[in-house]
């Protein structure tokens, strides 16, 4: 009888004031070396009047005077060595061409405020298309967080501010299934459903941006759709698979720094977040199972309940002998543990070879 491969059933189953925050990637967590010096410059385009705004607060200028308000009639932004930077101290001023050095933002302004400003920077600017409107919205929100009042704002400000605030609130949510572990067999699919509705944030940040697309990590195929994550381990996976993810991509995770020289305002691009929401799951992967072999009567279609029927099990891919199993009084032959990574065929031994389908 020709050998026909069959699949065994697997029985296991984020005028002019600025501050720069730079964070160090958590995954490697290298402590910052506060030695770098940068030059603060100003970029202006007062023909771009859609970005005009005015704010009120206590402002101490370098000439010794005090201003209760500040107004700009168009586009104005700060840069640190060419990178956009935001003003964090509305009561001081930094001049074009000022040289500053790095320091620890958390130490300068405290952990809570540092986190708040970093979130505004990330969700307001760095995770967006980084338009001029994104920059101005982010800068005004930073000033409000530092105690200043926005008196007049660009037409887009209220809407963009609301969107940023919504993203910050959403960013605090973990995946509802975080901490969950499941047992799954090789080549079988297990699913995890997130009832908090934030799976897309985590998957995109982790480098899996598209729904219904297969991605591979450590021998496990990942696919997501809506709020459900599907995982399918292959034989190349380890016995244990862990998925540890945040809702912020690794390139924006780290320890914040600030640019400062003791006399001028703090400035930072607010490019990194040191405390994103974190979620995890675990798979316990079974790579071996038992084959249940039975013979059916050709006429009745029922299992032949005969003990002593001996079967050889071979690997279909290379015809390698795997094991032998013998039926019990119920006609069932149960193999020992065999790998679940291939198709197998089974033959009955002499006097007649018989293929079990």
């Amino acid at each position: 009888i020709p050998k026909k491969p069959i699949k065994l059933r697997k029985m296991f189953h984020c005028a002019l004031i600025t501050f720069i925050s730079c964070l160090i990637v958590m995954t490697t967590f290298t402590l910052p070396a506060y030695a770098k010096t940068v030059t603060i410059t100003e970029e202006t385009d007062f023909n771009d009047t859609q970005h005009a705004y005015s704010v009120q607060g206590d402002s101490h200028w370098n000439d010794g005077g005090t201003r209760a308000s500040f107004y700009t009639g168009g586009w104005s932004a700060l840069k640190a060595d060419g990178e956009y930077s935001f003003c964090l101290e509305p009561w001081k001023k930094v001049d074009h061409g000022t040289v500053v050095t790095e320091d620890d933002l958390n130490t300068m302004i405290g952990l809570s405020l540092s986190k708040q400003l970093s979130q505004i920077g990330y969700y307001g600017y760095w995770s967006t298309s980084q338009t001029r409107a994104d920059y101005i919205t982010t800068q005004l929100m930073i000033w409000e967080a530092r105690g200043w009042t926005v008196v007049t704002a660009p037409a887009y400000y209220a809407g963009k501010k609301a969107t940023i605030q919504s993203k910050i609130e959403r960013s605090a949510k973990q995946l509802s299934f975080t901490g969950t572990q499941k047992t799954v067999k090789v080549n079988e699919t297990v699913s995890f459903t997130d009832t908090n509705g934030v799976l897309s944030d985590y998957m995109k940040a982790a480098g899996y941006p598209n729904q219904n697309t297969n991605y591979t990590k450590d021998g496990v195929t990942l696919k997501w759709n809506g709020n459900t994550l599907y995982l399918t381990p292959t034989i190349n996976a380890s016995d244990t698979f862990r998925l540890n993810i945040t809702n912020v991509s690794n390139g924006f995770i780290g320890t914040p720094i600030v640019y400062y020289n003791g006399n001028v305002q703090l400035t930072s691009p607010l490019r990194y977040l040191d405390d994103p929401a974190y979620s995890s799951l675990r798979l316990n992967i079974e790579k071996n199972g038992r084959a249940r072999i039975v013979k059916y009567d050709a006429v009745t279609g029922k299992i032949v309940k005969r003990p002593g029927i001996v079967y050889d099990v071979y690997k279909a891919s290379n015809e390698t002998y795997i094991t032998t199993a013998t039926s019990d009084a119920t006609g069932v032959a149960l193999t020992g543990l065999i790998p679940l990574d291939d198709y197998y065929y089974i033959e009955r031994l002499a006097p007649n070879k018989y293929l079990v389908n």
Side-chain angles (χ1 to χ4, degrees), residues 47-219:
N47 292 319
D48 194 356
T49 57
Q50 65 174 315
H51 305 297
Y53 60 81
S54 64
V55 293
Q56 283 186 342
D58 185 22
S59 176
H60 300 286
W61 285 47
N62 293 352
D63 60 8
T66 298
R67 308 292 190 271
S69 64
F70 174 76
Y71 167 79
T72 183
W75 166 252
S76 179
L78 290 170
K79 288 185 172 181
D81 278 359
E83 181 178 48
Y84 282 114
S85 184
F86 298 97
C87 168
L88 304 186
E89 278 188 312
W91 51 87
K92 289 185 179 180
K93 182 179 183 297
V94 62
D95 293 320
H96 183 92
T98 299
V99 176
V100 292
T101 57
E102 295 178 351
D103 212 325
D104 191 321
L105 177 60
N106 292 335
T107 299
M108 282 290 196
I109 65 175
L111 290 171
S112 179
L113 182 57
S114 173
K115 179 178 179 178
Q116 181 183 2
L117 298 184
S118 293
Q119 287 178 322
I120 294 172
Y122 177 76
Y123 291 105
Y125 189 72
W126 295 108
S127 65
T128 71
S129 55
Q130 300 176 17
T131 65
R132 287 185 170 187
D134 293 326
Y135 178 92
I136 295 298
T137 300
T138 302
Q139 180 62 85
L140 292 179
M141 289 184 68
I142 290 168
W143 280 339
E144 286 185 312
R146 296 298 321 249
W148 268 30
T149 300
V150 176
V151 179
T152 58
Y156 53 75
Y157 181 60
K160 293 182 77 66
K161 176 182 176 179
T163 298
I164 295 166
Q165 290 174 325
S166 176
K167 289 180 178 179
I168 291 174
E169 292 172 3
R170 179 182 174 94
S171 72
K173 295 182 179 180
Q174 290 182 295
L175 297 171
S176 63
F177 53 75
T178 187
T180 301
Q181 61 176 305
K182 294 185 178 182
T183 298
V184 62
K185 300 178 291 294
V186 167
N187 297 326
E188 287 197 340
T189 299
V190 65
S191 64
F192 297 80
T193 298
D194 171 43
T195 58
N196 288 336
V198 293
L199 179 63
S200 62
D201 299 343
Y202 282 83
M203 297 307 290
K204 291 175 181 179
Y208 313 117
N210 301 316
Q211 297 190 64
N212 299 314
T213 300
N214 289 333
Y215 299 96
T216 301
K217 176 179 172 58
D218 300 334

Side-chain angles (χ1 to χ4, degrees), residues 11-32:
M11 301 176 65
F12 291 145
H13 301 340
C14 176
L16 310 140
I17 314 151
T18 64
F19 144 85
I20 287 178
S21 125
C22 174
L23 313 171
I24 292 175
V25 178
M26 263 166 60
T27 52
T28 57
F29 200 74
T30 302
L31 291 176

Side-chain angles (χ1 to χ4, degrees), residues 293-313:
I293 307 170
V294 295
K295 176 183 177 181
Y296 292 92
D297 186 280
V299 177
T300 66
K302 296 181 179 181
I303 295 175
V304 176
K305 296 182 179 181
R306 183 190 309 160
I309 303 176
V310 182
Y311 303 94
D312 273 353
V313 180

